[in-house]
Amino acid sequence: MATKAFIDLVAECDNFPYDEQYASKFYKLYLPHDDRPHGYMLPEVVRKMPWTPSFRIDYDAHTVSLQDPSSSSHVDLTSFCNAELATTVNAAIDANLFAIIHGQHSEPFAILGANNPIVHMERFAAPLFGIVMRGAHATAYTRSRATGEMKLWIPRRSPLMFTYPGKLDSTVAGGVRAGEGPLEAIVHEAAEEASLPEELVRRDVRAAGTLTYMSETRAGYAQGAEVGLAAPDCVYLYDLEVAEDVVLKPRDDEVKEFYLWGVEETKRALLNEEFKTNSAVVMIDFFVRHGIITQENEKDYVEIIVRMHRKLPFPTTPRPHWH
Amino acid sequence: MATKAFIDLVAECDNFPYDEQYASKFYKLYLPHDDRPHGYMLPEVVRKMPWTPSFRIDYDAHTVSLQDPSSSSHVDLTSFCNAELATTVNAAIDANLFAIIHGQHSEPFAILGANNPIVHMERFAAPLFGIVMRGAHATAYTRSRATGEMKLWIPRRSPLMFTYPGKLDSTVAGGVRAGEGPLEAIVHEAAEEASLPEELVRRDVRAAGTLTYMSETRAGYAQGAEVGLAAPDCVYLYDLEVAEDVVLKPRDDEVKEFYLWGVEETKRALLNEEFKTNSAVVMIDFFVRHGIITQENEKDYVEIIVRMHRKLPFPTTPRPHWH
């Protein structure tokens, strides 16, 4: 009954149009002493945001720029950026101005390519500013010693989750918090979500690249949330081969249960749209890297790979030294 | 003594500017009944090319369009496209109009995203039309049963090769010919270049994704060749883990010798610019997929990954059904 193709699942996630004309309606967000934009903001969000006086809005140029008040040192400048952004976000939360924040504070993460380490942004507020979010996903799998057959550990999200309740997910996944690296995120999420011991994860987990894509929030992204926001994302990928006698069990209340599925069963669930949007793409990338999806069996092979590694219109590295 | 960073090696290969303004100086090449351009051509190449009368050049719109003379069937249209392109390329070779062809015919490959299977283009002529080339590279490696240490099989190109003489290369590499898939290319190249038996390769080789990038030919790309040509490329990647007792040996005259190197030795050779330009990127992608280059040890991690998977301005799939 599956009518979707793998490219459709990728396009569902990477759904922000590539047309440069489309992007021109957004305001670009700038940090001090950095001519690279760090986010795209809708005009109505720019007008509604309770900016501090340190932000200069240019309604003609479509820019929002945080202005350095002085010739600050880098350390001072970082504190300054964090204070101005936090004051603005706090005011937006207190006045309950945006449904996507739903009146709550959320964990801070670091703006990926900011020159000043570490400029913070709260996760729920990020899509209002169009800032690149950072996540880490690990795929745990076993390989039968007898037959070589691969099986994948796949959790079903709790029906009580705020986002994507009841959907299938990556084995282990979470946001990368400010001051933390993606490997550390995987280590503590693996313990919290799957009861996997830290020593096992540190010994056997293997980095496997990143996904980059850009979403546009749609009805259903989060209940009642603003639509049309730019939500660029960078997901750090990890593979974790575990022995056949390792059993994954939910520990926190985010996971309902774990399945151990073969490749064909997992493919069917993907094409049936049973996975959380970006976790489907994590699984597709896993299948590409492990030689399961190939040029020989997938006509959209190259297009799928390209769209999972989008060049975002924002920096991903501080102070680039190349051009 | 290494002064290069991995991102520099990727940027060396993916050196066609991202600036859309830059691309506007090129003429776009169109095939019949397809509104997607299949190549970028320099104005001086368009003027010099001995086009058949079926090509319409629009000097204002900067387009070269192959015109369907009739309401052909798809089969007829394919033959028509091939005949018109071949007549044009043959005339260019006979008159020795372009240094990059150096007066020789070369193997045909299929234009990647053409709607009509299979439209052919000769490899040496491809950069004149800016058409996406297709290659396949496999990286052979061993893992010590005792220590788990990885070693890589790395060939040195013959000093007599026309391109990149004496440089280090991917274990096995070659163009994907028209009518052939990338896996078949790897199987026969592995026999020709590394004396690897077909059964071993078919059993153990694993597809691992693609690289896409866009080069601009520079002085040194090939002796005396035109510079500034657009040379987009799609490389199909394969990993081949071999047992410790398998020994790779050159068979044809393209490889001088094989080395079996550890990861650190290979990294040093990369940063010393000892590899062929695109084979360096193949190795970097291998290191990313195998958890050797990580976010924790490489500050340009995300940028490296994105630039190895460039969205080319040409289609990679016939008749897309998504947008």
Side-chain angles (χ1 to χ4, degrees), chain A residues 5 7-8 11 18 20 112 134 143 181-184 206-210 212 234 236 238 288-291 294-296 299-303 305-307 309-311 316-317 321-323, chain B residues 5 7-8 11 18 20 112 134 143 181-184 206-210 212 234 236 238 288-291 294-296 299-303 305-307 309-311 316-317 321-323:
Chain A
I7 187 67
D8 299 322
Y18 278 75
E20 296 223 340
L112 188 53
R134 302 174 79 192
R143 211 180 271 282
L183 177 60
E184 295 308 308
R206 194 172 79 173
T210 55
T212 43
C234 174
Y236 298 87
Y238 294 85
V288 167
R289 288 185 293 100
H290 287 265
T294 70
Q295 171 70 16
E296 277 71 22
K299 70 179 171 37
D300 302 315
Y301 189 59
V302 182
E303 183 72 13
I305 294 167
V306 166
R307 297 230 13 208
H309 300 96
R310 182 167 183 165
K311 185 172 172 57
T316 55
T317 313
H321 62 282
W322 76 90
H323 291 282
Chain B
I7 186 69
D8 299 322
Y18 279 75
E20 295 223 339
L112 188 52
R134 303 174 79 191
R143 210 180 272 283
L183 177 60
E184 295 308 307
R206 194 172 79 172
T210 54
T212 43
C234 175
Y236 298 87
Y238 294 85
V288 166
R289 288 185 292 101
H290 286 264
T294 69
Q295 171 69 17
E296 278 72 21
K299 69 179 170 39
D300 302 315
Y301 189 59
V302 182
E303 184 73 12
I305 294 167
V306 167
R307 299 247 344 227
H309 301 95
R310 182 167 183 163
K311 184 171 173 59
T316 56
T317 314
H321 62 282
W322 75 91
H323 294 283

Side-chain angles (χ1 to χ4, degrees), chain B residues 88-103:
Chain B
T88 304
V89 169
N90 290 344
I93 295 175
D94 292 345
N96 204 12
L97 293 177
F98 301 101
I100 201 166
I101 304 184
H102 56 104

